[in-house]
Amino acid sequence: MFKAFFFDMDGTLFDSMPNHAAAWEEVMSKHGLTFTARDCYINEGRTGQDVIQHCIWKKEHRQASEEEIWSIYEEKTAAFQRRGGAGPVAGVPELLQWLRQQPDTQIWIVTGSGQKTLFDTLQNTFPNIFTREKMVTAFDVKKGKPDPEPYLIAWQKSGLKKEECCVVENAPLGIRSGHEAGLFTIGVNTGILTKEDLADAGADIVFDNMPDFLNWLQQLINSSLATSVAHQFII
């Protein structure tokens, strides 16, 4: 059974991708850049800075300055906040509460987000589930998803074996990151992409929603407990 769960945030824990997609499209268009809703879902998991740099390079074949990147990113953050943020993905509160009740289980956030209010948002929505020590954000990595670095950092900090860790993602780039880190990677399809998009990215298993994922976990742990009990009676 897994002892650590590494959760992506946007689109996995929060139903935020529609608002993120609209905010990105609005701000990029303002700067003469093209970034559609599907582009947002396909690129979800990259740091905002990487997305902006990529779009500017694609159109103008130049490196953007740090000041330019952060200016556009702050515009995008404001555009997202004007849309009212987002609540949790259906089934996530129940999943997190169940995981919290499992002994010796670590619950992590591994996100490309660089929002300064990230922890407060998590604490307000999922009280006492996450800790600052079990977070990997845009500020902790040199290379964001799809590079394996974010999940390798989480794994190394967990102190566990790789086979004891599980990545939970909703986006192809995040799935690639977890898969290339050598971790068991679960895809949960919460957006406009297909299950095939997630499977082709390297997910070990794909679920249609969070309740299905929770049901699978409960069956898995029940099966593990049954096997453990049976072994006690083998002479």
Side-chain angles (χ1 to χ4, degrees):
M1 182 59 186
F2 302 114
K3 295 182 179 179
F5 292 81
F6 303 148
F7 284 94
D8 172 51
M9 188 177 71
D10 288 304
T12 300
L13 297 182
F14 289 95
D15 188 20
S16 51
M17 287 307 296
N19 285 346
H20 275 297
W24 274 119
E25 196 163 10
E26 172 194 327
V27 172
M28 291 298 206
S29 176
K30 176 182 174 182
H31 289 271
L33 303 170
T34 301
F35 200 68
T36 67
R38 179 169 174 81
D39 289 333
C40 185
Y41 279 87
I42 289 293
N43 285 277
E44 198 232 315
R46 292 187 191 273
T47 64
Q49 299 91 322
D50 189 31
V51 167
I52 295 164
Q53 185 70 265
H54 173 77
C55 288
I56 290 176
W57 177 263
K58 184 177 179 180
K59 182 188 178 187
E60 303 178 10
H61 304 289
R62 66 176 178 86
Q63 295 289 327
S65 68
E66 285 293 314
E67 293 79 6
E68 184 179 15
I69 288 172
W70 281 107
S71 176
I72 294 175
Y73 187 70
E74 287 178 0
E75 287 182 47
K76 183 266 170 182
T77 299
F80 174 74
Q81 291 174 343
R82 285 197 301 272
R83 287 168 169 78
V89 167
V92 163
E94 294 81 1
L95 169 64
L96 294 177
Q97 286 296 338
W98 183 82
L99 287 176
R100 187 185 180 199
Q101 295 168 7
Q102 306 312 304
D104 302 318
T105 298
Q106 300 182 26
I107 305 175
W108 288 72
I109 283 286
V110 182
T111 176
S113 174
Q115 296 178 30
K116 297 177 182 178
T117 59
L118 175 59
F119 182 74
D120 291 336
T121 299
L122 288 167
Q123 184 69 2
N124 290 337
T125 309
F126 310 111
N128 304 316
I129 296 292
F130 298 98
T131 64
R132 294 184 185 275
E133 294 75 26
K134 291 182 174 62
M135 295 175 60
V136 178
T137 73
F139 298 110
D140 301 307
V141 300
K142 294 181 179 178
K143 297 180 180 179
K145 304 171 188 178
D147 192 272
E149 183 186 17
Y151 284 112
L152 287 174
I153 290 174
W155 162 62
Q156 290 164 352
K157 287 186 174 181
S158 75
L160 298 170
K161 298 176 182 177
K162 282 192 174 182
E163 57 267 28
E164 296 175 316
C165 302
C166 171
V167 170
V168 186
E169 274 277 359
N170 73 300
L173 295 187
I175 288 170
R176 279 178 53 193
S177 177
H179 177 75
E180 292 179 15
L183 302 171
F184 190 87
T185 303
I186 290 171
V188 183
N189 192 26
T190 64
I192 65 175
L193 303 180
T194 67
K195 292 179 72 173
E196 289 72 25
D197 287 326
L198 306 189
D200 291 346
D204 292 287
I205 187 170
V206 179
F207 296 97
D208 288 317
N209 51 58
M210 286 296 175
D212 285 353
F213 173 38
L214 174 56
N215 183 57
W216 178 79
L217 278 178
Q218 291 171 332
Q219 292 182 10
L220 186 65
I221 193 170
N222 288 338
S223 174
S224 299
L225 288 172
T227 301
S228 177
V229 170
H231 284 172
Q232 295 178 29
F233 291 92
I234 296 176
I235 299 176

